[in-house]
């Protein structure tokens, strides 16, 4: 087992941005405590925006807890059955967080439409005080996670949840101010609908990025044509085929492929040249099979037409 773990470290699978666990614990405590206050305040004041934000915070508590669990699991070393380790648990958590945000936004819109049709009384003073306190709490949480928002998708998912809470607090505060000054209660559900649309934008980005990683899609900053061109430009490479580029986890990009290098003595230099070219594209984990001739061509030539000519005669 130890040899597998050391190999994982050798191929730079630990280069991905780490999840800021202590900060997530602090944000979880702040979010959980204020969630209880918002539930009580929303019920007492009659504000949908506060209750919706409390529901959002309830999901955030679960999402932050999930992020902490997956961050712990992702630190487990690779073994004989999980040769890449458990890094992608963070991607699964990001996918769940994005889906949860979609569900929350939908629930808020439905409740807001019902509130527009059947408005109720709202205690604007209490509404205003709790909304202001919520904004302060969320801004503190955002500041704690701000430096990690472009790191791991797990941390970004947590950041987006807290950002949604902050937007919710701003909307709630705005609605509370309007109701307090004018008595126009539809401001409460309207603010909730607008904020739901903002939450959906962040959720869509999170879902798209996590799904692309789970589907082993080519990272957005890498063009396959550029990968092939750079490998073919390495002295000694005659041809390239079976190229694959994918993201193992956010920040860790891998590539595998086959290169035809007729001269055996040039193989070491070719491997070093390919690694250098791929590093320039941000690809840190490179696995290349070098061949003195195109094995795929040999297999296709020996296979009768119509009898599986598309299959490769070697493993990947």
């Amino acid at each position: 087992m130890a040899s597998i773990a050391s190999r994982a470290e050798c191929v730079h699978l630990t280069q991905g941005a780490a999840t800021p666990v202590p900060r997530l614990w602090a944000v979880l405590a702040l979010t959980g405590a204020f969630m209880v206050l918002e539930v009580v305040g929303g019920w007492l004041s009659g504000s949908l925006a506060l209750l919706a934000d409390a529901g959002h915070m309830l999901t955030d508590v679960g999402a932050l807890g999930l992020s902490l669990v997956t961050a712990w699991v992702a630190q487990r070393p690779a073994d004989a059955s999980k040769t890449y380790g458990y890094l992608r648990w963070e991607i699964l958590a990001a996918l769940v967080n994005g889906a949860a945000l979609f569900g929350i936004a939908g629930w808020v819109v439905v409740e807001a439409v019902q509130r527009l049709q059947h408005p109720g009384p709202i205690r604007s003073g209490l509404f205003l005080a709790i909304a202001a306190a919520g904004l302060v709490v969320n801004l503190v949480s955002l500041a704690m996670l701000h430096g990690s928002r472009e790191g791991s998708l797990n941390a970004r998912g947590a950041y987006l949840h807290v950002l949604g809470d902050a937007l919710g607090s701003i909307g709630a505060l705005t609605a509370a101010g309007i109701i307090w000054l004018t008595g126009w209660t539809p401001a409460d559900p309207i603010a909730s609908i607008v904020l739901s649309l903002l939450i959906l934008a962040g959720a869509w980005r999170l879902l798209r990025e996590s799904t692309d990683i789970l589907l082993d899609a080519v990272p957005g900053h890498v063009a396959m044509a550029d990968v092939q061109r750079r490998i073919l430009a390495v002295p000694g490479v005659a041809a390239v085929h079976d190229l694959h580029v994918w993201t193992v986890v956010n920040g860790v990009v891998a590539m595998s492929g086959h290169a035809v290098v007729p001269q055996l003595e040039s193989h070491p230099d070719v491997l070093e040249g390919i690694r250098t070219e791929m590093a320039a594209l941000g690809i840190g984990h490179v696995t290349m099979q070098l061949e003195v001739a195109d094995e795929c061509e040999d297999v296709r030539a020996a296979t009768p037409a119509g009898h599986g000519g598309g299959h490769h005669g070697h493993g990947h």
Side-chain angles (χ1 to χ4, degrees):
M1 298 297 178
S3 61
I4 295 175
S6 62
R7 176 62 58 88
E9 294 171 1
C10 180
V11 297
H12 311 296
L13 291 181
T14 56
Q15 286 182 350
T19 299
V21 174
R23 295 180 183 181
L24 283 180
W25 274 116
V27 172
L28 176 61
L30 283 172
T31 303
F34 195 77
M35 176 194 70
V36 175
L37 179 61
E38 274 201 323
V39 169
V40 175
W43 179 70
L44 291 176
S45 67
S47 168
L48 173 64
L50 283 182
L51 289 175
D53 199 42
H56 192 180
M57 282 191 164
L58 175 62
T59 306
D60 286 352
V61 169
L64 289 167
L66 179 61
S67 295
L68 286 165
V69 171
T70 53
W72 172 74
V73 172
Q75 293 174 359
R76 297 177 60 185
D79 54 39
S81 63
K82 302 292 188 301
T83 56
Y84 271 124
Y86 296 80
L87 297 174
R88 282 200 172 176
W89 273 98
E90 295 200 356
I91 308 303
L92 290 173
L95 186 66
V96 171
N97 284 348
L101 285 168
F102 264 88
I104 293 166
W107 175 78
V108 170
V109 169
V110 171
E111 290 295 320
V113 170
Q114 293 179 353
R115 182 63 64 90
L116 285 171
Q117 295 173 344
H118 307 286
I122 295 177
R123 296 173 61 184
S124 59
L126 181 60
F127 181 12
L128 185 64
I130 295 178
L135 180 58
V136 172
V137 169
N138 286 317
L139 289 178
V140 170
S141 298
L142 277 177
M144 296 176 67
L145 295 176
H146 183 76
S148 306
R149 71 191 189 284
E150 297 300 333
S152 72
L153 280 182
N154 196 22
R156 192 183 307 175
Y159 179 85
L160 285 174
H161 271 281
V162 177
L163 178 61
D165 281 336
L167 293 173
S169 296
I170 292 173
L173 187 60
T174 301
I178 292 174
I179 296 172
W180 185 60
L181 293 172
T182 67
W184 192 56
T185 57
D188 180 47
I190 289 175
S192 301
I193 293 174
V194 172
L195 291 168
S196 296
L197 297 178
L198 296 176
I199 294 170
L200 284 175
W204 172 248
R205 180 186 175 190
L206 189 63
L207 280 176
R208 186 187 66 230
E209 292 187 13
S210 56
T211 301
D212 280 348
I213 291 177
L214 292 175
L215 291 177
D216 288 335
V218 178
H221 70 279
V222 176
M224 290 302 293
D226 196 20
V227 172
Q228 185 174 28
R229 178 184 60 79
R230 284 175 175 268
I231 295 176
L232 287 173
V234 175
V237 177
V240 179
H241 60 94
D242 290 338
L243 284 178
H244 303 278
V245 179
W246 69 99
T247 302
V248 179
V249 69
N250 198 48
V252 179
V253 181
M255 184 275 281
S256 68
H258 295 222
V260 179
V261 185
Q263 302 300 321
L264 284 172
E265 62 273 13
S266 64
H267 282 198
D269 291 337
V270 167
L271 282 175
E272 185 60 31
I274 291 175
R275 290 193 184 99
T276 300
E277 291 293 335
M278 295 304 97
L281 295 177
I283 302 174
H285 176 35
V286 177
T287 303
M288 289 296 296
Q289 177 172 318
L290 301 186
E291 307 162 351
V292 296
D294 192 336
E295 296 179 11
C296 287
E297 289 295 334
D298 294 340
V299 171
R300 284 191 287 269
T303 304
H307 290 80
H311 292 283
H312 294 167
H314 53 82
H316 295 276

